[in-house]
Amino acid sequence: MDKPRPSASPACSLDEAPDAYRGYLTPAEIAAELDRLLPRIRDDRLHAKLKAIRDSLGELEA
């Protein structure tokens, strides 16, 4: 079996790129989206779960 060749450039190492570069939201951006969505959610169980997630993201920012 052939040995894996090293990447031709740093851009080829996407798994090492920052999350923002890869298109993922930061915890602060996710929290902002949840803040926008939570008032519209009428299902109590779903609202409670998403609120708990939102609250845990606030802990990460501190």
Side-chain angles (χ1 to χ4, degrees):
M1 189 177 269
D2 295 334
K3 287 185 179 179
R5 294 185 348 200
S7 300
S9 69
C12 294
S13 300
L14 190 57
D15 60 326
E16 298 173 5
D19 287 345
Y21 180 80
R22 295 178 1 193
Y24 297 125
L25 297 176
T26 64
E29 292 169 324
I30 294 169
E33 286 297 315
L34 286 173
D35 287 341
R36 187 179 64 81
L37 292 173
L38 279 171
R40 298 178 185 178
I41 297 173
R42 295 183 181 177
D43 182 287
D44 292 339
R45 287 178 40 200
L46 178 59
H47 188 277
K49 288 180 181 182
L50 291 175
K51 176 104 171 68
I53 292 170
R54 169 57 184 101
D55 292 344
S56 71
L57 289 171
E59 295 169 5
L60 293 175
E61 294 172 7

